[in-house]
Every structure is written in structure tokens, then in C-alpha cells.
Amino acid sequence: MHYILKIDCPDQKGLVHGISGILYASGLNITETEEFVDHEKNQFFMRSEVVGKLNREEMLEKLSGLLPPSSNIQLHEKRKKNIIVFITKEYHCIGDLLVRHHFGELNANIQAIISNHAHLQGFCEKFNLPFHRVSAEKIERQEHETKISKIIDQYQPEFLVLAKYMRILTPEFTHRYKNKIINIHHSFLPAFVGAKPYVQAFTRGVKLIGATAHFVNDNLDEGPIITQDVIQTNHKNDSKMMARAGRDVEKIVLSNALRLVFDDRVFVYNNKTIIFQ
Amino acid sequence: MHYILKIDCPDQKGLVHGISGILYASGLNITETEEFVDHEKNQFFMRSEVVGKLNREEMLEKLSGLLPPSSNIQLHEKRKKNIIVFITKEYHCIGDLLVRHHFGELNANIQAIISNHAHLQGFCEKFNLPFHRVSAEKIERQEHETKISKIIDQYQPEFLVLAKYMRILTPEFTHRYKNKIINIHHSFLPAFVGAKPYVQAFTRGVKLIGATAHFVNDNLDEGPIITQDVIQTNHKNDSKMMARAGRDVEKIVLSNALRLVFDDRVFVYNNKTIIFQ
Amino acid sequence: MHYILKIDCPDQKGLVHGISGILYASGLNITETEEFVDHEKNQFFMRSEVVGKLNREEMLEKLSGLLPPSSNIQLHEKRKKNIIVFITKEYHCIGDLLVRHHFGELNANIQAIISNHAHLQGFCEKFNLPFHRVSAEKIERQEHETKISKIIDQYQPEFLVLAKYMRILTPEFTHRYKNKIINIHHSFLPAFVGAKPYVQAFTRGVKLIGATAHFVNDNLDEGPIITQDVIQTNHKNDSKMMARAGRDVEKIVLSNALRLVFDDRVFVYNNKTIIFQ
Amino acid sequence: MHYILKIDCPDQKGLVHGISGILYASGLNITETEEFVDHEKNQFFMRSEVVGKLNREEMLEKLSGLLPPSSNIQLHEKRKKNIIVFITKEYHCIGDLLVRHHFGELNANIQAIISNHAHLQGFCEKFNLPFHRVSAEKIERQEHETKISKIIDQYQPEFLVLAKYMRILTPEFTHRYKNKIINIHHSFLPAFVGAKPYVQAFTRGVKLIGATAHFVNDNLDEGPIITQDVIQTNHKNDSKMMARAGRDVEKIVLSNALRLVFDDRVFVYNNKTIIFQ
């Protein structure tokens, strides 16, 4: 069996020695391991991939005995994550995810797609996945989210992926799925927060445009950043041409972020991410 | 002789035909030419390099006869620009510029260096350039700028280059040198305007850091952007490590911007730049 | 009507003036134009987009009258190109193209897909496109190409796109479609020509991996390069991980090249490309 | 005191536990540590920075007791490396290094500069460093290298940096300084090995140009790669313009490689590098 162990806890001397001792004593084979200490906050982070036979309860008990009380310890088998993807009308991110998913490259199992529009329903159904249209028209934001939450509860996903979902979520909703919602924003945050970033970029006359994948928290476009990338632009490109070129950056940035998250390579701490690539 | 012709004016049919006709009739050899029309604002931009013998007054008269009254026409010999460089304590941008200048790569003649600190005086003097220290201590901002202006008046430079000059200029000062002051800001604007952008970047947890060269206008860090670039960063880098890595981006972005400006490749329009590379 | 005019011919004085005069006299509106002179080879290149009513034969006659006898003049309506896509077993490039095609983003009409394997047939048929499997097993290379050529003749495509088609074409075949076959090679050419470039890259220990889209000529991987890009890699990545990461570069590089070619922005000259972006 | 420990040895279970145990028992504070296993070759690599008081001999003895006999163990104080820089006529790399060195940013002590030309002597002497001109004219390659070796012996440097040194070294010379000579080559290797890479790049019509810093081994441009980077180019740039633009890539790639080597972050193994950034 192949397991992933993630630990974050206050730093203290001897952690690596102690943890590696527990793994070693269990006869496990460590195929990959990485540690990081945030010296400013005195916090220790470690991720190991181990192969072998282990008793999960026993191992967790040993680790808890060693580590400080406020530690976070995650230990589970390496496996695909269950996710729901949210979309509106734009096809490039969901198209990219569906192709990857179809060929087993996305390290996740897409349980369902939820959209506030019917626009992409036919396309999604080519891939034989449940498509739930939940219109937001003529209803309150909270009523809309209640409907969505009912669908989510049906599936019990581990992550919600906003693949160009063009609606703002309430703090009630984002709280419920803390560090479980991943969004792709079409600018290099913190530049161009909010609506129409390509129009903002065109108006400002920037020479780079980009995209940012981040966890969603209570404040719009202010959650922990996972991945970002940019491409060059120039005076010839209006906001529509920027949007066209930007689509490729968006879909690649999003899929890179998802790979890191679904491979359990991302820690969230202090509204930032520590990523062991 | 080698000349550069820059025209910007309201767009109308036949401009290229008319302008190229005037150049052709003069027997000039066009070695490079580029045009752009901002269709949103209906503005035409053209830059040509021509080689041959020409009567500048006559040529300008012919062009004025052809073009709309509100046209900007610049025609002058290709030559190095006269500049003054402003610095404070950081060495990386001025160091890079002085090496380029020493070997004739910077398409400019550095007439003098002005600094509010004496910190880099010894280093600059290795390169045999006048160094003016104008301390800003214990005097008002306007008194400081008056002193600086007197020095500038001595040299009559065509451009002022802020190579990590860590002081904010008054609108009176920036007005006087409209589109003549080039600054390097250590972030990918419009992200992280103002003080300590690397600390801001570290706090926000971005995965890219960058630099922006721009003309200075009345509003801090909001002038027309000339060039920008970024490099990747990650959780291992604190703001000091970001600053160290960022220095290389800053100096290259600045020198690229200067090359474009000094080669007369940059038009400023509507708080943006049109650049014919 | 919206037309694209492409001219390449030996350079001589007055070309821009003459050509723009013909366009101006016809009352056409030039929405975009760019010229370039290869001073080493003394060759002139020009591309214009014009809007208006024109008599194509008349216009070509006028241009031929003006230009040197060895000129290439292309003038046609702006429209989607007819193409056939060739694949083998890898899904990432064809998947990306099919999604773009489905939503009208690929500036082309995919007439058919040809593959030497049945592997991706089910996937392609989701998109309701003719899929021709032409097995290469147990037959000579030329017999295989004869079978393929018959299918091509049925469709009369303007371009053949090799979207990870893992077979080498004979010079007879490539000659017939000179400058009409576009291939994506999974390295930054000229590094790692031929088979298994990621294995070559891993063995060499490079810190960048990349992809190159190019026209196919008689010599393997030596045709005119259209677009290239790279991403960083490091010692942690074996050739399989490079291949996984490289897939995203390959598909974006290919689709960028196709956009440029299908928008008539690419000239081939002297085994290189001149591209007016 | 601040120490750096580097270990590489055949992989076996329990290495991290054992090594961290020795460090822990000595009361040392580990401020940074990273490991990597090359599973293909079954080789283990580890680098740790430790702070505290240690008896070097004792520590090495303990580590030798734990590790397999064929292990490489390096343990030494964190400090600047002694280096000699080799140049010919190009100024951009040496200019960049001298500025960094002057301000203490280069993690090295430049003991001397050796050049086969007098061209840059005046410039280098601004920085008060010994400059040795060793002309290669009218003498055999080996006689030239003998003269150089005598100068090197005077200084006993830890690394030789070829900062655009335009001469090929004999295997006798490179053997003597195995993994101690760092070169900057002006292409993204393995493309454009040997002379005039920008002319090769122009002739091939590539859309990217780059630079590679690598250790020098017996085969020209085939040593272990440390860092590489590229920038975009296009049809407008001839080989001279590529060379001008490339200079900035070369100097940054070289200085990044030097930082990694001088900070003891680079392992050489199997003609590749493992780098703990």
C-alpha cells in the first residue's frame, strides 16, 4: 500500500529524527519526503510518501505521542479525490478538466458538474457525468446556495472546483467548505480583484496578463494562492484578445493547482500555501 | 544620415500611402517601419527609420501639410539621449547601467548622477561621472526638489531615470518632466503599489514576484507601463530573499525599458504605451 | 467583406507607397497592416487586413503590375481553413483541438481525423467527426501513405495537422504538401531531434523542457519553426514526469501555431518563418 | 557557528533517521534540510544547514560509522568560496560579477581575473583586483595552460569561473579541476554546441534563445547543467540582436548558477546536477 503522511505542528528540535524513527521502526519504505520550517511563525511542515503495510490507528497514536498537542496529522492511502466542478458559461477550463478526467490524468473523480446556466450541458454530457443546472435567476443568493448544498450533500465531495463559476459565494457557504474550494481567477492576484480583470488590465495598459488558482475564503479573491502564471501582452491586444490568450493560462494554472492539491502536496497556513512539489 | 520619424495623429484613410509617398519622393531609404491604429480611440501611430539626406524643415512642412492639425510629428537624427540617473542606496540598477554605459551599450549619455545619500558615491566615481549628493534631510520636499532642479537645469537632460530612487516626487516636479521620467518599481504593477512591495508580496503569499518600468505621472505608481517581467517564488522565500531575487528582474526590466525609450520606440497615449519593438 | 492580402517579393524602394496606393484607390479600409524586410536576403514581406468591396481579379492584376515578377501575392477572404488532423495514441493535443473546434475557437474546420491506431476512436467520435483508422501494421510505408493520400484527396484540406502522429513521413508525401503540414515536436528544437526526446532530456539533465511546432519538410524535425515554449524542470522529474508536464506545453504551443497559420500570419522563407502577430 | 553538511551515498532504509539522530544528539539546530533519492540509481542525497557548536572530526567519524563505505560526506563552515574568473573580451558577465562582488552579493571572494586579452584590463582594475593577462598568441595550447596553471597554483582557488572565456580547455586541464570549473554557454544546451551559437540560432530560425551554466568536463559543452533560461526572439532579430538580448540571459543564468554552487546547494552525479534550492 502507498500512503501519504502530512504533519504540521509547532517546530521543536528532533522532529525529523522522531518521525523518521517511527516510520523506520514500522518497516515502511519512504519514497519521497520533504520538510519545511516557517521560522517566522515557528511552524514545522512535513510530507512523506511511504510504501508498505501499516496499521493506521497505531501509527497515528505513535505520532500523536511524539508530536505537540496542537499538531495536525493526516495519514491516508494515496487515491483519487472526489470532487464537484462548478461552471457557468465558459468552456475552456471545464473542457480541459473533462479531457484529463476522461483519460485518467486528473487525479480525481468528478462526481458531478453544477452550473447556474444550461449553456454547457450538452458538452458535459458527452462525458457521461451528472450535470445539475441550478438557475440563480429570480431567487435570493442564499436560496440558490441552499439548493446547491443539497446536491453537494448527495455526493459528499472532498473538494469543490470553481472552473470559471461566475458567482460570488456567501461567507456561510465558504465557511462550510474551508480550504476545500479552489477557484481560478483570471488575473495575477492581487492585481485586478473582482469583475472583468481583462478590461481592468487593458485599461491599465499592463504588459503581462495572468491567472491565479487559490482557495476561496470569506474575502473575494483574497484566499491562499496555490499557483500563478503570466504571459506577455502588448498594445495590439484589446480586452477580448487578452481574454482569448488568457484562457490557456487559466486552464493550465488551474489544472496545475488541482494536481498539487489532489496529490496532497499543499498545506494552508496563515492564509498562504506551503507546497511540496 | 540615419533619422527616426514618429507620428501620431487621428486616423484617416490614406495616411500610410501619403506618408510613404513623401518619404519615397525624397529618395530616402526606409530601413524599418511600423504602424498601429488604436481603433477604440481612432488614433494612428507610425515609426520609421530612414537613411539618406533630408532637409528636416522641408520634410516637416510636407508632413504637416498632409496630416491633421492635431498631429504630433517628431523627426530627428538617431543618436544617444542625454540623461540624469537618480539613486538612493541600492546598487543593482545603477551598477547595471554604469557597466552598460561604460561599454557603450546604453543608448544614452549619462550626464550626471543625483542621489539623496552619499552611500554609492565612491562606486559611481569609479566610472568618472559627476555625482551630486542632495540630502533630503531636515528640509521640505519642495526645497529638496528645487535644489535638484537647479542641477538638472545645468545639464538639460532629455530623460530622468529613477534607478531605485526611494523618494516620492511632487506633482509640480513630475509635471515639469511629463513623459520624461522613467521609474523602476519592484512589483508587477498594479499589484503592490507604494512602499515595501516585497513585504506586501510575502504577506500575500504570491507565487510570482516582478518588476515594472513606467513613466512617472502625478499618481504614485500609476504612470504608463513600459515593460514588466516576473519570476517564480515559493514558500521558502521570505521578503529578503524575494528582494534579492527581484533585483535581477528589476535591473533587466529597467534596462529593457530604457533601450526602448532611448531608441524612440515608445509612444505614450491615454496613460498607456504603444511600443514598436 | 474582410480580406487578407499577403505579399512577399524582392525588396525595392516604394513598395509600401505603391501597394497602399492601390488599396487606397480601391476605397478599402485597412484594419491592420505589417511589413518586414529581410535585409540579408533583400526580401520584402507584407500582410494587410482590408475591409470593403473589391474585385479580386482586378486587384491582383494591379498588384502584379506594380510588383516584381517573382512576387508571391495571396489575396482571399478571411475564413476558416479546412484541415485534417493526424493522431496516434496520445490524447492531449487532439483533446485540446477538439474542445476548441467544438466551441468555434479553432479558426479551422476539422474535416476528418486520421489515425494509425483505433485507440482514440471512441473519444473523437464524441465530437461527431469522421475518424479514419489506417493501420500501418504489416504494410510498407508507401502503401500506408497511399491509403492516407486517398482519404486526403476525398477532403481536399488546406492543412494537415500532426497532433502527436508518431510516424515518419516519406519525402514523397511531405513534398506533396509543402508548407501545409504542421507538426508538434516534444522538445525545444534543434535539441533532441527524433525519438523519445523526454528520455534524451532526462539523460542529458536539462533544466528546461519544451515543445516546438513546425512545418514538416524532408528532413526529420528540421522544418521551419513556428512557435516554441519551455517550462522549468529539475532533478526530481524522471522522463515520465517530464512527459506529463510537457503535454501542457505541447498542446498550447501547437494551438498557438495553428492560430497563427490559420489566420494567415505566417510566411515561410528560407526554411524559417516570418510571423506578423 | 553555521555549518553545511552534504552527503551522498547508496540509498538504504533509515538514513534520514540515523543522520538526524547524530545531529540531534549533538544539540545542533537544523535550520534547513533537504533530501532526494535517485530511485533509478539508488543514490541518496542530503544537504543540511546546522547552527551550533560541533567537533568536526568527531561528527565526521560518527557519520562515517553510520553510512556505507562509498559515501561522500562534506561538512564545513558556511563561508565565501575563493574563485578565479576567466574572461576574454566580452564585458557583460564579468561586469555583472564585479558589481555583485563589490557589494558583497556574490558569495565568493574573487582572488584574481585571468584573461587571454588585455581588452578588459582597465575596467577590471577599477575594482582593485589582480588581473593576469596570459596571451595565447603564438604558443601551443598546453604551454598556455601551463602558464595559467602556475597562476592558479598561486591562489589555490576552490572554483574557476569561465565568464565568457572564449578558449577550449584541454582534457588535462579540465581533469585537474573536475567539477570545479563553471562555464556559461550562450545557448540552451544541448542545442547549438560549440562556436557561434547565435549565428546557429539565427540560421535555424528558432523562436527562443537562451543560455546554460554548466560544469566543464572533457567534452565540449557536455558537462553537467546547473541552470538554464531562455527568452523569446522572432524574425526581426538577426544574430547580432540575438547576441545583444542574450547577454542579459547569460549574465543572470551564470550568477544564479554561481549562487547555487557557492552556497553548496549543488551535487554532481552521473553527469547531471541535483540542486537543493
mmCIF file of all heavy atoms in Angstrom, chain C residues 186-200:
data_model
loop_
_atom_site.group_PDB
_atom_site.id
_atom_site.type_symbol
_atom_site.label_atom_id
_atom_site.label_comp_id
_atom_site.label_asym_id
_atom_site.label_seq_id
_atom_site.Cartn_x
_atom_site.Cartn_y
_atom_site.Cartn_z
ATOM 1 N N HIS C 186 8.034 17.269 -29.296
ATOM 2 C CA HIS C 186 8.090 17.478 -27.849
ATOM 3 C C HIS C 186 9.502 17.755 -27.341
ATOM 4 O O HIS C 186 9.971 17.139 -26.395
ATOM 5 C CB HIS C 186 7.405 16.369 -27.074
ATOM 6 C CG HIS C 186 7.589 14.977 -27.583
ATOM 7 N ND1 HIS C 186 7.405 14.630 -28.891
ATOM 8 C CD2 HIS C 186 7.918 13.835 -26.936
ATOM 9 C CE1 HIS C 186 7.625 13.325 -29.017
ATOM 10 N NE2 HIS C 186 7.943 12.833 -27.861
ATOM 11 N N SER C 187 10.162 18.748 -27.960
ATOM 12 C CA SER C 187 11.397 19.306 -27.414
ATOM 13 C C SER C 187 11.575 20.691 -28.005
ATOM 14 O O SER C 187 10.916 21.041 -28.978
ATOM 15 C CB SER C 187 12.613 18.453 -27.775
ATOM 16 O OG SER C 187 13.041 18.729 -29.091
ATOM 17 N N PHE C 188 12.452 21.480 -27.386
ATOM 18 C CA PHE C 188 12.787 22.777 -27.987
ATOM 19 C C PHE C 188 13.850 22.508 -29.039
ATOM 20 O O PHE C 188 15.037 22.417 -28.759
ATOM 21 C CB PHE C 188 13.239 23.824 -26.954
ATOM 22 C CG PHE C 188 14.254 23.370 -25.952
ATOM 23 C CD1 PHE C 188 15.609 23.609 -26.142
ATOM 24 C CD2 PHE C 188 13.858 22.720 -24.793
ATOM 25 C CE1 PHE C 188 16.545 23.211 -25.199
ATOM 26 C CE2 PHE C 188 14.791 22.305 -23.843
ATOM 27 C CZ PHE C 188 16.133 22.548 -24.048
ATOM 28 N N LEU C 189 13.406 22.355 -30.275
ATOM 29 C CA LEU C 189 14.317 22.082 -31.380
ATOM 30 C C LEU C 189 15.310 23.228 -31.534
ATOM 31 O O LEU C 189 14.963 24.360 -31.224
ATOM 32 C CB LEU C 189 13.527 21.889 -32.673
ATOM 33 C CG LEU C 189 12.709 20.596 -32.749
ATOM 34 C CD1 LEU C 189 11.867 20.567 -34.009
ATOM 35 C CD2 LEU C 189 13.619 19.381 -32.695
ATOM 36 N N PRO C 190 16.525 22.954 -31.975
ATOM 37 C CA PRO C 190 17.035 21.695 -32.515
ATOM 38 C C PRO C 190 17.541 20.712 -31.467
ATOM 39 O O PRO C 190 18.167 19.722 -31.843
ATOM 40 C CB PRO C 190 18.169 22.163 -33.408
ATOM 41 C CG PRO C 190 18.697 23.373 -32.736
ATOM 42 C CD PRO C 190 17.489 24.049 -32.150
ATOM 43 N N ALA C 191 17.304 20.941 -30.195
ATOM 44 C CA ALA C 191 17.706 19.938 -29.205
ATOM 45 C C ALA C 191 16.766 18.736 -29.293
ATOM 46 O O ALA C 191 15.569 18.896 -29.491
ATOM 47 C CB ALA C 191 17.652 20.542 -27.801
ATOM 48 N N PHE C 192 17.322 17.553 -29.145
ATOM 49 C CA PHE C 192 16.520 16.334 -29.022
ATOM 50 C C PHE C 192 15.633 16.058 -30.235
ATOM 51 O O PHE C 192 14.426 15.849 -30.114
ATOM 52 C CB PHE C 192 15.697 16.363 -27.723
ATOM 53 C CG PHE C 192 16.508 16.708 -26.514
ATOM 54 C CD1 PHE C 192 16.091 17.680 -25.618
ATOM 55 C CD2 PHE C 192 17.715 16.070 -26.278
ATOM 56 C CE1 PHE C 192 16.846 18.007 -24.500
ATOM 57 C CE2 PHE C 192 18.482 16.398 -25.161
ATOM 58 C CZ PHE C 192 18.043 17.370 -24.274
ATOM 59 N N VAL C 193 16.255 16.069 -31.382
ATOM 60 C CA VAL C 193 15.599 15.624 -32.608
ATOM 61 C C VAL C 193 15.286 14.140 -32.488
ATOM 62 O O VAL C 193 15.961 13.419 -31.767
ATOM 63 C CB VAL C 193 16.567 15.885 -33.796
ATOM 64 C CG1 VAL C 193 16.191 15.075 -35.019
ATOM 65 C CG2 VAL C 193 16.612 17.378 -34.122
ATOM 66 N N GLY C 194 14.230 13.707 -33.153
ATOM 67 C CA GLY C 194 13.976 12.276 -33.291
ATOM 68 C C GLY C 194 13.191 11.669 -32.152
ATOM 69 O O GLY C 194 12.369 12.334 -31.526
ATOM 70 N N ALA C 195 13.468 10.407 -31.867
ATOM 71 C CA ALA C 195 12.630 9.627 -30.957
ATOM 72 C C ALA C 195 12.910 9.945 -29.496
ATOM 73 O O ALA C 195 14.013 10.305 -29.126
ATOM 74 C CB ALA C 195 12.859 8.138 -31.205
ATOM 75 N N LYS C 196 11.870 9.834 -28.676
ATOM 76 C CA LYS C 196 11.960 9.885 -27.227
ATOM 77 C C LYS C 196 12.715 11.126 -26.699
ATOM 78 O O LYS C 196 13.680 10.997 -25.924
ATOM 79 C CB LYS C 196 12.634 8.611 -26.703
ATOM 80 C CG LYS C 196 11.832 7.339 -26.979
ATOM 81 C CD LYS C 196 12.419 6.150 -26.217
ATOM 82 C CE LYS C 196 11.728 4.855 -26.605
ATOM 83 N NZ LYS C 196 10.291 4.814 -26.272
ATOM 84 N N PRO C 197 12.291 12.299 -27.089
ATOM 85 C CA PRO C 197 13.011 13.491 -26.608
ATOM 86 C C PRO C 197 13.014 13.646 -25.084
ATOM 87 O O PRO C 197 13.971 14.173 -24.533
ATOM 88 C CB PRO C 197 12.301 14.661 -27.281
ATOM 89 C CG PRO C 197 11.156 14.109 -28.026
ATOM 90 C CD PRO C 197 11.270 12.627 -28.088
ATOM 91 N N TYR C 198 11.967 13.192 -24.391
ATOM 92 C CA TYR C 198 11.983 13.351 -22.929
ATOM 93 C C TYR C 198 13.010 12.425 -22.285
ATOM 94 O O TYR C 198 13.620 12.771 -21.274
ATOM 95 C CB TYR C 198 10.591 13.127 -22.321
ATOM 96 C CG TYR C 198 9.612 14.221 -22.682
ATOM 97 C CD1 TYR C 198 8.426 13.940 -23.344
ATOM 98 C CD2 TYR C 198 9.884 15.555 -22.373
ATOM 99 C CE1 TYR C 198 7.534 14.941 -23.688
ATOM 100 C CE2 TYR C 198 8.996 16.568 -22.713
ATOM 101 C CZ TYR C 198 7.824 16.256 -23.367
ATOM 102 O OH TYR C 198 6.945 17.255 -23.707
ATOM 103 N N VAL C 199 13.189 11.247 -22.860
ATOM 104 C CA VAL C 199 14.236 10.359 -22.359
ATOM 105 C C VAL C 199 15.608 10.987 -22.625
ATOM 106 O O VAL C 199 16.488 10.998 -21.754
ATOM 107 C CB VAL C 199 14.114 8.952 -22.993
ATOM 108 C CG1 VAL C 199 15.304 8.075 -22.591
ATOM 109 C CG2 VAL C 199 12.800 8.301 -22.583
ATOM 110 N N GLN C 200 15.765 11.559 -23.824
ATOM 111 C CA GLN C 200 17.009 12.268 -24.126
ATOM 112 C C GLN C 200 17.229 13.428 -23.137
ATOM 113 O O GLN C 200 18.342 13.655 -22.664
ATOM 114 C CB GLN C 200 16.969 12.845 -25.549
ATOM 115 C CG GLN C 200 16.969 11.824 -26.684
ATOM 116 C CD GLN C 200 16.993 12.528 -28.048
ATOM 117 O OE1 GLN C 200 17.860 13.347 -28.321
ATOM 118 N NE2 GLN C 200 16.028 12.209 -28.900
#
